[in-house]
Amino acid sequence: MSQNRFQNLYPPMPSIFMAPTEIMYDAKHLFLFSHTQGVKKPYKEVIDICWGDAHSGGTKPLTFVRQVIAVCIYPELLQETTIAPDVKERARRLLRECPGGSVGKYCVCGIPFVQDGVCEFISKRDGGVPSYPEDIFICSGSQNALMFVLKLLVHGKGLAQTGVLTPIPCYPTFVMGLTELGAAMVPYYLCEDDGWCLHVEELRRALATSRSHCNPRILYVINPGNPTGHVQSRESIEEVIRFAAEEELFIFADEVYQDMMYAEGSQFVSYKKVLFEMGPQYSNTVELASFHSVSKGIMGECGLRCGYVELVNLDPSVKQSVTSAFNTERNTAVIGQIALNIMVDPPKPGDPSYPTFSQVSLHETVEALPGTSFQAGSGGIYAYLRLDLPQKALLQAKEEGTDPDLMYCSRLLEEEGVCLVVGKEHGQQEGTYHIRICIGTTSTRLKEVLRRLKSFHLRFLNEFS
Amino acid sequence: FEVCQPALWKMTENCFMHHRTKVLTIDTMNPNVKKVEYAVRGPIVQRAVQIEKELKAGAKKPFSEVIRANIGDAHAMGQRPITFFRQVLALCSYPELLEGNEFPEDAKERARRILQACGGGSIGAYSASQGIECVRQDVARYIQERDGGIPCNPDNIYLSTGASDAIVTILKLLVCGEGRNRTGVMIPIPQYPLYSAALADLGAVQIEYYLDEENCWSLDVSELRRALVAAQQHCSPRALCIINPGNPTGQVQSRQCIEDVIRFAAEEHLFLMADEVYQDNVYAEGCEFHSFKKVLFEMGPEYSDTVELVSFHSTSKCYMGECGFRGGYMEVINMDPDVKVQLTKLVSVRLCPPVPGQALLDVVVNPPRPGEPSFNTYIKERTSTLQVLAEKAWLTEEVFNTVPGITCNPVQGAMYSFPRISLPERAIQQAKEKGQAPDMFYCMKLLEETGICLVPGSGFGQREGTYHFRMTILPPTDKLKIVLEKVKQFHQSFTQQYS
């Protein structure tokens, strides 16, 4: 029997944020297993609507992206007549940029050609605000990029422990990352009644209380929000930047959903653009890390693992260290960088491979459900509903020794075969309960999810009325 | 290092306009990050990149190209990929190709199987954090076959973003404690600088054990013991890292040596980390790769039930050379169940390893079998790649040993030579005046005069007063011959110049 030498010796990982998902996934596997054993259920398959993963949800990858990748992997395909000329041209260009002409090569800091493309994309998006390749760090996904930049800043214990202002609700992986690195999470509550918007007074409150137990240095914002889908107004972004400037905070702007805007008239404006339009007093001083990735947007290539961070206004004294530190990081898969290149430089209207994409609008159906409220977002890939659970249900949960939203979700899974994310995972105000649904899926699948959810929800309300 | 106009402009503006202190300065930065160095991509490579730019801009130099013999990147040096692997990956990327006639049936079969295991049938979907289940099963089967039938549980397999990612993950689990209780990790000198970089990053104590240069870089357990005892004074040694075949040294450990190491780890309660990414790169007569796991299990339950071992492998080396795909795995043996739970959580923070890399790994452990349409081509390509590497390994050793002042141990395996160079006293003095390690001084001069980029031995660690460089054996044979000749000439002229 191996000795249990490592008990108490390794940094503890957070259990609170993992538990609901684990429970749900265990339950899902149990049901899947019982289904294969011939146990009768009112549904044929479990629909897992947890992850922000478009392809798992049935969305097809974009042909252009996949053709370019296939040709880069197997250049013999350049002879294929069925492959469009713009695909071949892009693949040839990318292969030229890989010394040795192969995607099997390491890429330090990212392929320069891809970095340049990222800069052009950012600059164009932000109405001409310049972007420089040496500020772009290509990583294996936005989580990887977040951890890389966090690591530069996070250290210290006790009062000196680096604090990170984190929105509540927030997706759990980020919080786990903070724990892994030994950062102190400083929660600030988004205002549900106000469409999940960010109030600077709340930031101020959170910051003030945090100073008694840590050293807050980072302000993390997710825009568009996860799970809320809220898209910040320009004024809100300006307020946040002003706040960060006053309080000397490094802004981490997680903007991976920037290409997923669905509400009419809503518009994404980047933190960088707003920063630069606020004049040199801010644009020359406020430190900003902006994150993006190929996992979301119209490409939804989560499995390829590629994203980038743009670091703005880094102190010159740290640039060398940052680059050296980055050089020791394991490099990003070339395939992922190819996807990134296409994301920032997609086929244009008129090109043979110009893609299309459509998104389902969710709110009508959901809002019709009694006993829920839904602050519809304008972007992102999730719908985040509040469950107004009847008193009886709360008591039942207490009796069962579980959380009300977990009880709701477990039953939903059991009775209707729908697996979604329990609100507790994201953090929520005491006494409120939520569920998160990924809406980045085919409309057929989504309609089915909503049908089952409605059926279950009405029954649930009835049972506990 | 890189100074370009826009950056200067920004810097001037900053200094000119504001008085706000930055949040991130060299003083407020995570001190561990500052300590991190990675010689393989350090200052000499940065200079090489600069020179390449200068050449492109038309600068006149005594050479027409920079030869990057610094990093173990096979494809960058023109090594051809294995056709079958690329075919399966292309099919996985663009499954419509399954309908056509361009690809053989065995490639299609594997692609279909992989895609079936992916969410929505796409390699663009997240996979389970531990890796796609059927890939882990295939890896387990591969290990079992390799190790003569010793069982391998797929639950103990964690797919990763290259082997480096897995190595760092395990180190994260191991490093804890303060002061005298701080985790110490034993690493070979010379070592692959990922280890020293990761240890610096994690704030762990680096415990160095010297490989024996006089004896083909072999590992001596008495040296392990010496290092351990010395370390126990100031830290808590918890892990022992072995690289076999070695990097940069290329030595292939004998079976006896591996047994001795396992026994030592058992006696001293050390967690064994076996980096075996070069396991197919064995060239020298009489040398054979023995996996740590196999030897462990053949030593009987007293060891196989107790010694904690993690073995690492990847798709970046051997005959595949697919560094850019970031495929890799680790097998975890005898890990405490509670720690394993933590490990599973830890890997979920990065979501999952790149799915194309997982797919590639699957084909690597599940290559064409005799009788399948692609078998002949596969075996031919694989054999030829390994054979050419073996020839180049031998050639390198031979040529370097003809140079007075250079001694090169046999390159038994891996992808590098690590010859020892004797430097004239005057050169050493000049280097010190410049604040450079003497072998860095040597390599910088070599780069400036010949365009050949090597990594100085100081980047890997070496005995005090000795100097080395690491050169890959990857350039194509005719180019390698030229490189060897140029280094030979340079060494002779350098020696003369500074005597």
Side-chain angles (χ1 to χ4, degrees), chain A residues 181-214:
Chain A
L181 290 178
M185 179 177 120
V186 178
Y188 64 87
Y189 290 85
L190 301 175
C191 183
E192 180 158 18
D193 293 333
D194 216 345
W196 292 114
C197 74
L198 200 167
H199 287 151
V200 173
E201 308 82 66
E202 168 57 16
L203 282 181
R204 218 174 287 281
R205 177 210 65 77
L207 186 69
T209 46
S210 75
R211 290 217 158 102
S212 58
H213 66 266
C214 72

mmCIF file of all heavy atoms in Angstrom, chain A residues 181-214:
data_model
loop_
_atom_site.group_PDB
_atom_site.id
_atom_site.type_symbol
_atom_site.label_atom_id
_atom_site.label_comp_id
_atom_site.label_asym_id
_atom_site.label_seq_id
_atom_site.Cartn_x
_atom_site.Cartn_y
_atom_site.Cartn_z
ATOM 1 N N LEU A 181 -3.019 29.270 -8.342
ATOM 2 C CA LEU A 181 -1.881 30.186 -8.314
ATOM 3 C C LEU A 181 -1.675 30.847 -6.954
ATOM 4 O O LEU A 181 -0.686 31.534 -6.743
ATOM 5 C CB LEU A 181 -2.068 31.283 -9.369
ATOM 6 C CG LEU A 181 -1.944 30.804 -10.811
ATOM 7 C CD1 LEU A 181 -2.186 31.961 -11.764
ATOM 8 C CD2 LEU A 181 -0.572 30.211 -11.073
ATOM 9 N N GLY A 182 -2.635 30.659 -6.055
ATOM 10 C CA GLY A 182 -2.487 31.272 -4.737
ATOM 11 C C GLY A 182 -2.886 32.734 -4.712
ATOM 12 O O GLY A 182 -2.341 33.523 -3.928
ATOM 13 N N ALA A 183 -3.842 33.104 -5.564
ATOM 14 C CA ALA A 183 -4.359 34.480 -5.535
ATOM 15 C C ALA A 183 -5.584 34.511 -4.638
ATOM 16 O O ALA A 183 -6.259 33.506 -4.452
ATOM 17 C CB ALA A 183 -4.740 34.927 -6.941
ATOM 18 N N ALA A 184 -5.870 35.700 -4.093
ATOM 19 C CA ALA A 184 -7.079 35.852 -3.284
ATOM 20 C C ALA A 184 -8.194 36.339 -4.193
ATOM 21 O O ALA A 184 -8.036 37.322 -4.910
ATOM 22 C CB ALA A 184 -6.825 36.871 -2.170
ATOM 23 N N MET A 185 -9.306 35.635 -4.180
ATOM 24 C CA MET A 185 -10.438 36.077 -4.993
ATOM 25 C C MET A 185 -11.209 37.144 -4.229
ATOM 26 O O MET A 185 -11.571 36.946 -3.065
ATOM 27 C CB MET A 185 -11.356 34.911 -5.303
ATOM 28 C CG MET A 185 -12.554 35.338 -6.112
ATOM 29 S SD MET A 185 -13.621 33.984 -6.562
ATOM 30 C CE MET A 185 -15.129 34.444 -5.799
ATOM 31 N N VAL A 186 -11.454 38.276 -4.869
ATOM 32 C CA VAL A 186 -12.223 39.358 -4.244
ATOM 33 C C VAL A 186 -13.517 39.505 -5.044
ATOM 34 O O VAL A 186 -13.524 40.091 -6.123
ATOM 35 C CB VAL A 186 -11.430 40.688 -4.277
ATOM 36 C CG1 VAL A 186 -12.247 41.823 -3.667
ATOM 37 C CG2 VAL A 186 -10.094 40.529 -3.559
ATOM 38 N N PRO A 187 -14.620 38.961 -4.548
ATOM 39 C CA PRO A 187 -15.844 38.970 -5.348
ATOM 40 C C PRO A 187 -16.504 40.343 -5.398
ATOM 41 O O PRO A 187 -16.560 41.049 -4.386
ATOM 42 C CB PRO A 187 -16.740 37.966 -4.623
ATOM 43 C CG PRO A 187 -16.218 37.895 -3.229
ATOM 44 C CD PRO A 187 -14.792 38.297 -3.255
ATOM 45 N N TYR A 188 -16.997 40.724 -6.586
ATOM 46 C CA TYR A 188 -17.877 41.901 -6.703
ATOM 47 C C TYR A 188 -19.141 41.440 -7.419
ATOM 48 O O TYR A 188 -19.064 40.701 -8.389
ATOM 49 C CB TYR A 188 -17.192 43.065 -7.427
ATOM 50 C CG TYR A 188 -16.807 42.848 -8.867
ATOM 51 C CD1 TYR A 188 -17.700 43.098 -9.917
ATOM 52 C CD2 TYR A 188 -15.526 42.402 -9.202
ATOM 53 C CE1 TYR A 188 -17.335 42.908 -11.246
ATOM 54 C CE2 TYR A 188 -15.151 42.222 -10.529
ATOM 55 C CZ TYR A 188 -16.052 42.465 -11.539
ATOM 56 O OH TYR A 188 -15.689 42.270 -12.852
ATOM 57 N N TYR A 189 -20.274 41.841 -6.898
ATOM 58 C CA TYR A 189 -21.548 41.312 -7.394
ATOM 59 C C TYR A 189 -22.092 42.145 -8.545
ATOM 60 O O TYR A 189 -22.250 43.363 -8.440
ATOM 61 C CB TYR A 189 -22.577 41.227 -6.258
ATOM 62 C CG TYR A 189 -22.219 40.146 -5.273
ATOM 63 C CD1 TYR A 189 -21.329 40.388 -4.222
ATOM 64 C CD2 TYR A 189 -22.719 38.858 -5.426
ATOM 65 C CE1 TYR A 189 -20.957 39.377 -3.350
ATOM 66 C CE2 TYR A 189 -22.353 37.837 -4.544
ATOM 67 C CZ TYR A 189 -21.474 38.111 -3.516
ATOM 68 O OH TYR A 189 -21.112 37.108 -2.652
ATOM 69 N N LEU A 190 -22.384 41.454 -9.641
ATOM 70 C CA LEU A 190 -23.068 42.097 -10.756
ATOM 71 C C LEU A 190 -24.527 42.272 -10.345
ATOM 72 O O LEU A 190 -25.057 41.493 -9.553
ATOM 73 C CB LEU A 190 -22.946 41.242 -12.015
ATOM 74 C CG LEU A 190 -21.503 40.971 -12.464
ATOM 75 C CD1 LEU A 190 -21.469 40.004 -13.644
ATOM 76 C CD2 LEU A 190 -20.811 42.278 -12.831
ATOM 77 N N CYS A 191 -25.168 43.318 -10.888
ATOM 78 C CA CYS A 191 -26.513 43.647 -10.421
ATOM 79 C C CYS A 191 -27.570 42.954 -11.281
ATOM 80 O O CYS A 191 -27.856 43.369 -12.403
ATOM 81 C CB CYS A 191 -26.706 45.166 -10.458
ATOM 82 S SG CYS A 191 -28.316 45.646 -9.808
ATOM 83 N N GLU A 192 -28.153 41.884 -10.712
ATOM 84 C CA GLU A 192 -29.099 41.085 -11.493
ATOM 85 C C GLU A 192 -30.311 41.888 -11.937
ATOM 86 O O GLU A 192 -30.748 41.800 -13.073
ATOM 87 C CB GLU A 192 -29.560 39.862 -10.686
ATOM 88 C CG GLU A 192 -30.544 38.994 -11.464
ATOM 89 C CD GLU A 192 -30.626 37.575 -10.964
ATOM 90 O OE1 GLU A 192 -30.190 37.305 -9.817
ATOM 91 O OE2 GLU A 192 -31.110 36.718 -11.721
ATOM 92 N N ASP A 193 -30.836 42.691 -11.024
ATOM 93 C CA ASP A 193 -32.055 43.437 -11.359
ATOM 94 C C ASP A 193 -31.810 44.476 -12.437
ATOM 95 O O ASP A 193 -32.745 44.980 -13.040
ATOM 96 C CB ASP A 193 -32.594 44.129 -10.101
ATOM 97 C CG ASP A 193 -33.079 43.104 -9.086
ATOM 98 O OD1 ASP A 193 -33.477 42.005 -9.530
ATOM 99 O OD2 ASP A 193 -33.034 43.387 -7.875
ATOM 100 N N ASP A 194 -30.578 44.805 -12.637
ATOM 101 C CA ASP A 194 -30.228 45.821 -13.618
ATOM 102 C C ASP A 194 -29.582 45.179 -14.844
ATOM 103 O O ASP A 194 -28.636 45.723 -15.419
ATOM 104 C CB ASP A 194 -29.253 46.801 -12.965
ATOM 105 C CG ASP A 194 -29.497 48.230 -13.444
ATOM 106 O OD1 ASP A 194 -30.206 48.395 -14.461
ATOM 107 O OD2 ASP A 194 -28.956 49.147 -12.806
ATOM 108 N N GLY A 195 -30.086 43.992 -15.206
ATOM 109 C CA GLY A 195 -29.548 43.315 -16.378
ATOM 110 C C GLY A 195 -28.144 42.801 -16.201
ATOM 111 O O GLY A 195 -27.420 42.615 -17.174
ATOM 112 N N TRP A 196 -27.735 42.528 -14.967
ATOM 113 C CA TRP A 196 -26.395 42.019 -14.665
ATOM 114 C C TRP A 196 -25.296 43.025 -14.972
ATOM 115 O O TRP A 196 -24.170 42.650 -15.278
ATOM 116 C CB TRP A 196 -26.097 40.731 -15.428
ATOM 117 C CG TRP A 196 -26.899 39.535 -15.020
ATOM 118 C CD1 TRP A 196 -27.812 38.878 -15.783
ATOM 119 C CD2 TRP A 196 -26.859 38.854 -13.762
ATOM 120 N NE1 TRP A 196 -28.347 37.812 -15.086
ATOM 121 C CE2 TRP A 196 -27.777 37.778 -13.841
ATOM 122 C CE3 TRP A 196 -26.146 39.024 -12.569
ATOM 123 C CZ2 TRP A 196 -28.007 36.895 -12.788
ATOM 124 C CZ3 TRP A 196 -26.368 38.137 -11.513
ATOM 125 C CH2 TRP A 196 -27.291 37.093 -11.629
ATOM 126 N N CYS A 197 -25.598 44.292 -14.864
ATOM 127 C CA CYS A 197 -24.558 45.253 -15.178
ATOM 128 C C CYS A 197 -23.625 45.449 -13.989
ATOM 129 O O CYS A 197 -23.896 45.012 -12.871
ATOM 130 C CB CYS A 197 -25.143 46.577 -15.640
ATOM 131 S SG CYS A 197 -25.837 47.531 -14.309
ATOM 132 N N LEU A 198 -22.531 46.099 -14.271
ATOM 133 C CA LEU A 198 -21.470 46.313 -13.299
ATOM 134 C C LEU A 198 -21.649 47.716 -12.714
ATOM 135 O O LEU A 198 -21.639 48.693 -13.456
ATOM 136 C CB LEU A 198 -20.134 46.193 -14.043
ATOM 137 C CG LEU A 198 -18.854 45.918 -13.278
ATOM 138 C CD1 LEU A 198 -17.779 45.529 -14.278
ATOM 139 C CD2 LEU A 198 -18.387 47.125 -12.504
ATOM 140 N N HIS A 199 -21.799 47.805 -11.408
ATOM 141 C CA HIS A 199 -21.885 49.115 -10.776
ATOM 142 C C HIS A 199 -20.545 49.423 -10.108
ATOM 143 O O HIS A 199 -20.061 48.642 -9.277
ATOM 144 C CB HIS A 199 -22.998 49.145 -9.741
ATOM 145 C CG HIS A 199 -24.360 49.167 -10.357
ATOM 146 N ND1 HIS A 199 -25.464 48.646 -9.743
ATOM 147 C CD2 HIS A 199 -24.802 49.651 -11.553
ATOM 148 C CE1 HIS A 199 -26.526 48.814 -10.512
ATOM 149 N NE2 HIS A 199 -26.150 49.410 -11.622
ATOM 150 N N VAL A 200 -20.000 50.568 -10.414
ATOM 151 C CA VAL A 200 -18.684 50.911 -9.871
ATOM 152 C C VAL A 200 -18.711 51.013 -8.345
ATOM 153 O O VAL A 200 -17.722 50.685 -7.683
ATOM 154 C CB VAL A 200 -18.146 52.207 -10.514
ATOM 155 C CG1 VAL A 200 -16.876 52.665 -9.833
ATOM 156 C CG2 VAL A 200 -17.871 51.974 -11.984
ATOM 157 N N GLU A 201 -19.847 51.413 -7.778
ATOM 158 C CA GLU A 201 -19.938 51.486 -6.305
ATOM 159 C C GLU A 201 -19.681 50.117 -5.707
ATOM 160 O O GLU A 201 -19.081 49.994 -4.634
ATOM 161 C CB GLU A 201 -21.321 51.957 -5.828
ATOM 162 C CG GLU A 201 -21.821 53.242 -6.453
ATOM 163 C CD GLU A 201 -22.440 52.996 -7.823
ATOM 164 O OE1 GLU A 201 -23.483 52.342 -7.919
ATOM 165 O OE2 GLU A 201 -21.808 53.467 -8.807
ATOM 166 N N GLU A 202 -20.150 49.088 -6.410
ATOM 167 C CA GLU A 202 -19.957 47.728 -5.920
ATOM 168 C C GLU A 202 -18.474 47.355 -6.015
ATOM 169 O O GLU A 202 -17.923 46.709 -5.117
ATOM 170 C CB GLU A 202 -20.841 46.755 -6.714
ATOM 171 C CG GLU A 202 -20.547 45.273 -6.513
ATOM 172 C CD GLU A 202 -20.617 44.789 -5.076
ATOM 173 O OE1 GLU A 202 -21.187 45.493 -4.212
ATOM 174 O OE2 GLU A 202 -20.059 43.699 -4.794
ATOM 175 N N LEU A 203 -17.817 47.784 -7.087
ATOM 176 C CA LEU A 203 -16.382 47.561 -7.210
ATOM 177 C C LEU A 203 -15.663 48.231 -6.044
ATOM 178 O O LEU A 203 -14.758 47.654 -5.427
ATOM 179 C CB LEU A 203 -15.845 48.158 -8.516
ATOM 180 C CG LEU A 203 -16.066 47.406 -9.823
ATOM 181 C CD1 LEU A 203 -15.432 48.177 -10.982
ATOM 182 C CD2 LEU A 203 -15.465 46.015 -9.761
ATOM 183 N N ARG A 204 -16.104 49.444 -5.757
ATOM 184 C CA ARG A 204 -15.471 50.223 -4.690
ATOM 185 C C ARG A 204 -15.646 49.520 -3.344
ATOM 186 O O ARG A 204 -14.699 49.406 -2.558
ATOM 187 C CB ARG A 204 -16.091 51.626 -4.635
ATOM 188 C CG ARG A 204 -15.112 52.727 -4.343
ATOM 189 C CD ARG A 204 -15.781 54.092 -4.444
ATOM 190 N NE ARG A 204 -16.074 54.487 -5.815
ATOM 191 C CZ ARG A 204 -15.167 54.978 -6.665
ATOM 192 N NH1 ARG A 204 -13.918 55.128 -6.275
ATOM 193 N NH2 ARG A 204 -15.517 55.312 -7.884
ATOM 194 N N ARG A 205 -16.857 49.042 -3.124
ATOM 195 C CA ARG A 205 -17.131 48.333 -1.869
ATOM 196 C C ARG A 205 -16.229 47.107 -1.739
ATOM 197 O O ARG A 205 -15.582 46.889 -0.715
ATOM 198 C CB ARG A 205 -18.616 47.914 -1.806
ATOM 199 C CG ARG A 205 -18.958 47.099 -0.561
ATOM 200 C CD ARG A 205 -20.085 46.107 -0.795
ATOM 201 N NE ARG A 205 -19.760 45.060 -1.754
ATOM 202 C CZ ARG A 205 -18.997 44.004 -1.496
ATOM 203 N NH1 ARG A 205 -18.456 43.836 -0.303
ATOM 204 N NH2 ARG A 205 -18.765 43.118 -2.444
ATOM 205 N N ALA A 206 -16.199 46.313 -2.803
ATOM 206 C CA ALA A 206 -15.414 45.081 -2.779
ATOM 207 C C ALA A 206 -13.945 45.384 -2.529
ATOM 208 O O ALA A 206 -13.277 44.723 -1.724
ATOM 209 C CB ALA A 206 -15.586 44.324 -4.096
ATOM 210 N N LEU A 207 -13.448 46.392 -3.227
ATOM 211 C CA LEU A 207 -12.043 46.749 -3.104
ATOM 212 C C LEU A 207 -11.721 47.182 -1.668
ATOM 213 O O LEU A 207 -10.742 46.732 -1.077
ATOM 214 C CB LEU A 207 -11.707 47.877 -4.082
ATOM 215 C CG LEU A 207 -10.244 48.255 -4.158
ATOM 216 C CD1 LEU A 207 -9.438 47.143 -4.803
ATOM 217 C CD2 LEU A 207 -10.064 49.552 -4.952
ATOM 218 N N ALA A 208 -12.574 48.046 -1.123
ATOM 219 C CA ALA A 208 -12.325 48.567 0.222
ATOM 220 C C ALA A 208 -12.268 47.435 1.246
ATOM 221 O O ALA A 208 -11.360 47.377 2.068
ATOM 222 C CB ALA A 208 -13.406 49.578 0.596
ATOM 223 N N THR A 209 -13.234 46.523 1.171
ATOM 224 C CA THR A 209 -13.245 45.436 2.160
ATOM 225 C C THR A 209 -12.057 44.496 1.961
ATOM 226 O O THR A 209 -11.561 43.912 2.921
ATOM 227 C CB THR A 209 -14.546 44.603 2.094
ATOM 228 O OG1 THR A 209 -14.828 44.297 0.733
ATOM 229 C CG2 THR A 209 -15.714 45.362 2.683
ATOM 230 N N SER A 210 -11.581 44.369 0.726
ATOM 231 C CA SER A 210 -10.512 43.408 0.470
ATOM 232 C C SER A 210 -9.187 43.846 1.061
ATOM 233 O O SER A 210 -8.329 43.026 1.383
ATOM 234 C CB SER A 210 -10.347 43.185 -1.028
ATOM 235 O OG SER A 210 -9.700 44.307 -1.620
ATOM 236 N N ARG A 211 -9.003 45.157 1.189
ATOM 237 C CA ARG A 211 -7.692 45.657 1.597
ATOM 238 C C ARG A 211 -7.307 45.217 3.008
ATOM 239 O O ARG A 211 -6.127 45.260 3.361
ATOM 240 C CB ARG A 211 -7.654 47.189 1.483
ATOM 241 C CG ARG A 211 -7.656 47.654 0.033
ATOM 242 C CD ARG A 211 -6.798 48.881 -0.215
ATOM 243 N NE ARG A 211 -6.407 48.976 -1.618
ATOM 244 C CZ ARG A 211 -6.976 49.783 -2.499
ATOM 245 N NH1 ARG A 211 -7.974 50.566 -2.139
ATOM 246 N NH2 ARG A 211 -6.539 49.808 -3.749
ATOM 247 N N SER A 212 -8.289 44.754 3.767
ATOM 248 C CA SER A 212 -7.963 44.305 5.121
ATOM 249 C C SER A 212 -7.353 42.910 5.137
ATOM 250 O O SER A 212 -6.818 42.471 6.149
ATOM 251 C CB SER A 212 -9.215 44.321 5.988
ATOM 252 O OG SER A 212 -10.191 43.491 5.403
ATOM 253 N N HIS A 213 -7.434 42.186 4.011
ATOM 254 C CA HIS A 213 -6.883 40.837 4.067
ATOM 255 C C HIS A 213 -6.022 40.442 2.877
ATOM 256 O O HIS A 213 -5.500 39.332 2.830
ATOM 257 C CB HIS A 213 -8.000 39.797 4.272
ATOM 258 C CG HIS A 213 -8.944 39.710 3.118
ATOM 259 N ND1 HIS A 213 -10.118 40.430 3.073
ATOM 260 C CD2 HIS A 213 -8.896 38.999 1.969
ATOM 261 C CE1 HIS A 213 -10.736 40.163 1.932
ATOM 262 N NE2 HIS A 213 -10.031 39.295 1.244
ATOM 263 N N CYS A 214 -5.890 41.328 1.906
ATOM 264 C CA CYS A 214 -5.019 40.996 0.777
ATOM 265 C C CYS A 214 -4.578 42.255 0.060
ATOM 266 O O CYS A 214 -4.919 43.359 0.497
ATOM 267 C CB CYS A 214 -5.738 40.049 -0.195
ATOM 268 S SG CYS A 214 -7.039 40.842 -1.160
#
